[in-house]
Amino acid sequence: MKGKVKQIIKRAIGGFYSLVASKLYEPLIVKRAFPFFGGDLNSLAKEQGSAAVARAAGEPVLDVPVGTAFFTTDVAEKHTGLVVGTDYAWGMVEETRRAADAKGLRNLAALQSDIHNLPFRSGAFAVTLCTNGLQVIPGLDPSTSEIARTLKPGGTAYVSVISLPLSLVLPQSTREHLPTFLRSGEEVAASLERAGLTIEEVRRSRLATLIEARKPASN
Ligand SMILES: C[S@@+](CC[C@H](N)C(=O)[O-])C[C@H]1O[C@@H](n2cnc3c(N)ncnc32)[C@H](O)[C@@H]1O
C-alpha cells in the first residue's frame, strides 16, 4: 500500500474512533462487540492487566492503543509506577485523560501517537499491553516491531486480538497483504516473533487470541 493511501486510511480510522469515543465506544464495542466476537475476552484482558502489574513491579507500563482506558484504569489503580496510554485518535486520548481525572489516577498519562512510530526511547517500558487493537490497525509488522523496540530487554508484551482467520485458506503470498482482522492469531504471534519476542503463552476465546510474549534479556 502506498504511503499516502496508508496515511488516509489511518486518519479515517482515527477519525472514526474519535467520533465514537465519548458515547458509543464502550456500550457498543467494548460491552457488546468484544464479548460477541471474543467470548470471555474482556475478563481475560483484565487478567492480562493484573499479570502486567505483577510483572512490571513498579516499572513503567505502556498501553497501546489505550482507547477510552476501559481496561487501563484498573491497571493504573493497582500499579505503583507510571502507566502511559497512547492512541492515534485524539478523542480516545481525551477520554483516557477524563477517566484518569475521574478516578484520581495521577500515574496514568495519555498522549496521542501512532503505534508505527512511538515517541518513546528504545527499552523504555517493562511491560506493554496491546489490548484488542491490532485488528483495526493497518500494518501488523510495523506495529509489533515498535512494541518490541520500546520494551526493555526481559520485558513482557500482553497482546489480545480479534480476528476472522480467512488467511488460513489463502496462499502465503496473499496472506501478508490482508488486514490483521482477517489474519489468524498464529500470524499475529509469528509477527511478534519476527520482531524479536519469544512467545510464552497463547490463549483463545472464540475469535480472540491472547498472547504473552517476552523480549529476551540482553547478556
Ligand atoms: C478496538 S480499539 C481498542 C482500544 C482499547 N485497547 C480497548 O481495548 O478498549 C482500537 C483502538 O486503536 C486505535 N488506533 C487505530 N489506529 C492506530 C494507530 N495507527 N496507532 C495507535 N492507535 C491506533 C483506535 O483509535 C482505537 O482506539
Side-chain angles (χ1 to χ4, degrees):
M1 214 189 306
K2 290 261 170 2
K4 221 173 183 183
V5 178
K6 235 185 217 166
Q7 279 312 320
I8 292 170
I9 294 175
K10 273 190 198 179
R11 284 205 195 113
I13 292 169
F16 167 77
Y17 279 104
S18 275
L19 208 67
V20 299
S22 67
K23 293 207 167 69
L24 299 176
Y25 179 73
E26 287 188 9
L28 289 186
I29 297 182
V30 178
K31 294 183 182 155
R32 296 259 173 111
F34 287 171
F36 181 77
F37 292 108
D40 292 332
L41 172 60
N42 288 0
S43 52
L44 293 171
K46 288 196 178 201
E47 271 180 34
Q48 283 193 320
S50 301
V53 171
R55 191 56 72 84
E59 290 190 71
V61 171
L62 174 66
D63 189 346
V64 58
V66 68
T68 55
F70 181 85
F71 297 99
T72 323
T73 53
D74 272 4
V75 173
E77 266 164 7
K78 293 176 192 152
H79 189 46
T80 52
L82 176 68
V83 179
V84 178
T86 188
D87 200 288
Y88 195 76
W90 180 246
M92 291 299 196
V93 174
E94 285 184 321
E95 284 307 309
T96 293
R97 288 181 180 167
R98 232 170 258 149
D101 283 349
K103 297 200 168 183
L105 295 168
R106 296 168 64 89
N107 63 336
L108 174 56
L111 75 156
Q112 195 259 340
S113 76
D114 182 351
I115 195 171
H116 296 157
N117 188 19
L118 292 172
F120 310 114
R121 67 171 172 79
S122 299
F125 298 97
V127 169
T128 294
L129 286 155
C130 180
T131 310
N132 313 333
L134 292 175
Q135 70 270 9
V136 305
I137 303 175
L140 178 57
D141 281 357
S143 305
T144 54
S145 72
E146 276 294 85
I147 289 172
R149 180 188 67 77
T150 52
L151 260 187
K152 73 168 197 179
T156 305
Y158 294 92
V159 174
S160 56
V161 63
I162 297 175
S163 56
L164 302 159
L166 180 71
S167 68
L168 293 178
V169 294
L170 295 174
Q172 181 69 31
S173 52
T174 315
R175 287 177 183 198
E176 280 155 23
H177 304 290
L178 289 174
T180 304
F181 73 90
L182 293 177
R183 298 177 75 177
S184 64
E186 284 78 6
E187 286 179 85
V188 174
S191 174
L192 289 163
E193 283 184 317
R194 278 194 295 282
L197 306 186
T198 305
I199 305 303
E200 304 249 298
E201 187 182 64
V202 177
R203 294 168 85 181
R204 286 196 181 75
S205 177
R206 234 176 259 181
L207 293 173
T209 305
L210 294 103
I211 303 166
E212 180 182 332
R214 182 79 81 102
K215 184 166 175 173
S218 56
N219 297 315

